């Protein structure tokens, strides 16, 4: 099961990293206004968090053999039977939710920082 966990962390982490890269590029394009940049980053990161939560909860209806993680596993490391598929889905769900929590925390941090910048802008 540790092999499944490592491969799932790699595959899902890579997808989240590309999403974070896209969010970073949008924030960079708004760098002329830091409040706008962090507000946009907060909104997009919170949307990414919601998408990860939705993905985690729709895994129960997905065939494990059609996932990227399954394709990256060696044939001898793949789980067998219904109980193996349930464990596989549980591991994927856990990792999706971990990344969702992380992106939620980052999004809330972006939002808080944008609020601080708004207050500083209003005071000066």
């Amino acid at each position: 099961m540790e092999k499944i966990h490592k491969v799932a962390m790699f595959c899902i982490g890579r997808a989240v990293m590309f999403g974070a890269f896209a969010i970073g590029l949008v924030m960079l394009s708004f760098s002329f206004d830091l409040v706008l940049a962090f507000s946009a980053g907060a909104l997009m990161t919170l949307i990414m968090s919601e998408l990860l939560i939705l993905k985690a909860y729709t895994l129960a209806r997905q065939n494990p053999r059609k996932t990227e993680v399954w394709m990256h596993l060696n044939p001898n490391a793949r789980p067998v039977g219904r109980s193996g598929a349930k464990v596989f889905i549980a591991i994927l769900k856990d990792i999706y939710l971990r990344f969702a929590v992380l992106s939620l925390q980052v999004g809330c941090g972006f939002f808080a920082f944008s609020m601080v910048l708004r207050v500083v802008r209003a005071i000066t």
Side-chain angles (χ1 to χ4, degrees), residues 84-115:
K86 286 182 181 182
V87 169
F88 182 78
I89 293 298
I91 291 171
L92 287 181
K93 185 176 181 180
D94 178 57
I95 293 172
Y96 272 117
L97 291 176
R98 275 191 204 177
F99 279 109
V101 167
L102 180 63
S103 65
L104 180 66
Q105 290 170 343
V106 170
C108 289
F110 283 164
F111 182 72
F113 192 67
S114 73
M115 288 294 109

Side-chain angles (χ1 to χ4, degrees), residues 70-92:
W70 186 274
M71 289 183 235
H72 279 84
L73 284 172
N74 291 332
N76 58 357
R78 294 176 181 160
V80 180
R82 285 185 180 235
S83 62
K86 286 182 181 182
V87 169
F88 182 78
I89 293 298
I91 291 171
L92 287 181

Side-chain angles (χ1 to χ4, degrees), residues 58-81:
T58 58
L59 277 172
R61 289 178 262 145
Q62 187 175 0
N63 184 0
R65 289 181 173 83
K66 298 203 185 270
T67 62
E68 181 184 6
V69 176
W70 186 274
M71 289 183 235
H72 279 84
L73 284 172
N74 291 332
N76 58 357
R78 294 176 181 160
V80 180

